[in-house]
Amino acid sequence: MPSEPPVLPSRLGGNVADGEAGQHAGTGPEALFSLRNRLALVTGSSRGIGLVLAAGLARHGAAVVLNGRHRPTLEEAAGTLEGAGARVHVRPFDVADPDAAEAGIAAVEREIGPLDILVNNAGLQHRAPLENFPAAEWERLRRTNLDSVLFMGQAAARRMIGRGRGKIINIASVQSELARPNIAPYGATKGAVKMLTRGMATEWARHGLQVNAIAPGYFATELNRALVEDAEFTAWLARRTPAGRWGRTEELVGAAVFLASDASSFVNGHLLAVDGGITACL
């Protein structure tokens, strides 16, 4: 099933101005999940899950920085969010390049404000029998799915540590825990994201950072188009998943807001599965 476009209210509070990013939103019950006056960067956010997550963070008050490699698609995505009332910035750079990641984060902090939230969402898939899996595709998967998490996490943490606060959310997968034919290298990268998340939390929690991961199950996205259109696979998935269906991308927003907000102030190194129960049962 196709994913629905992100929906935002017509007005959002808490646009980030100079010196505002990172301030706490207050002490009332709504403030626990408020992202007002926070600045969030979401990688791979020109479409799909990344764009939906960016829209969700904006809906809860954050100003968002969209990142990808192609400015035109980012500008189009930004226009959609701006039309719904969000404050959006666009910064195209290659998150799998350590120098570009450092320069990109530095530019965001210099030109927009201190980064409060980093969502490492950039990722790709390639399906092939493992015995014939191309070496070039393995390299591409590793750089995009894993190297980018390390390089962006390092660049953000170097600045967050000095401020004594920060949220890093890595997008893992149910393939961080489960294997399926023809995607072993993808699963390997996502398993590594799980352990890198725990390593980041182990080293950076004492500096006031919370580093966690979201493990989506099977969601109807462009990345999964071939499976969504495969009636046999969809029928299998409905039987295998306790919820009995594909996930809707907007169902990931709650997890992201929780991990990005003060509500998760003592949650660290956690892999939060949003999967309809597929990892809970045989």
Side-chain angles (χ1 to χ4, degrees):
M1 66 182 71
S3 60
E4 297 176 7
V7 177
L8 288 153
S10 59
R11 295 181 61 82
L12 289 171
N15 285 344
V16 171
D18 291 344
E20 288 182 341
Q23 295 178 0
H24 286 250
T27 57
E30 297 84 1
L32 195 61
F33 294 94
S34 174
L35 301 178
R36 185 175 180 271
N37 296 332
R38 310 289 174 89
L39 178 63
L41 187 154
V42 184
T43 71
S45 50
S46 62
R47 61 183 179 179
I49 287 175
L51 180 56
V52 171
L53 293 180
L57 297 178
R59 185 165 65 244
H60 284 76
V64 294
V65 181
L66 303 185
N67 163 264
R69 289 181 295 174
H70 306 294
R71 180 175 287 276
T73 54
L74 288 172
E75 295 284 4
E76 182 179 354
T80 299
L81 300 192
E82 288 170 343
R87 181 167 182 181
V88 187
H89 306 269
V90 168
R91 291 296 184 275
F93 59 89
D94 184 359
V95 294
D97 180 319
D99 294 333
E102 169 61 26
I105 293 290
V108 166
E109 296 236 340
R110 182 176 63 253
E111 299 166 6
I112 304 173
L115 186 64
D116 300 287
I117 303 157
L118 169 66
V119 182
N120 281 312
N121 169 75
L124 55 84
Q125 175 67 284
H126 183 86
R127 294 178 172 85
L130 184 57
E131 65 272 19
N132 296 318
F133 202 91
E137 291 300 328
W138 163 257
E139 174 75 9
R140 194 166 70 104
L141 280 176
R142 196 207 73 237
R143 290 188 71 252
T144 303
N145 296 357
L146 179 59
D147 291 2
S148 66
V149 175
L150 174 62
F151 301 149
M152 289 293 288
Q154 288 176 317
R158 282 192 283 265
R159 293 157 174 87
M160 291 175 172
I161 286 171
R163 295 190 286 267
R165 66 177 187 270
K167 301 279 192 172
I168 298 177
I169 304 168
N170 300 325
I171 304 303
S173 170
V174 292
Q175 268 74 49
S176 298
E177 304 283 358
L178 304 174
R180 275 191 58 78
N182 297 328
I183 59 168
Y186 176 84
T189 63
K190 291 301 185 177
V193 167
K194 176 186 74 173
M195 293 309 301
L196 183 56
T197 298
R198 292 176 177 174
M200 288 174 167
T202 299
E203 297 205 28
W204 298 338
R206 66 181 180 271
H207 299 294
L209 279 63
Q210 288 87 53
V211 187
N212 295 286
I214 297 173
Y218 284 89
F219 284 76
T221 66
E222 186 66 29
L223 192 67
N224 286 326
R225 175 183 290 273
L227 296 180
V228 173
E229 295 176 349
D230 185 331
E232 183 178 353
F233 182 87
T234 294
W236 171 85
L237 181 67
R239 294 191 302 269
R240 176 64 177 81
T241 305
R245 61 175 174 83
W246 286 90
R248 297 184 293 271
T249 52
E250 61 270 22
E251 291 178 300
L252 292 164
V253 169
V257 170
F258 167 64
L259 293 177
S261 69
D262 290 345
S264 59
S265 61
F266 202 56
V267 179
N268 242 317
H270 182 62
L271 182 74
L272 176 54
V274 184
D275 64 359
I278 198 169
T279 56
C281 65
L282 292 174

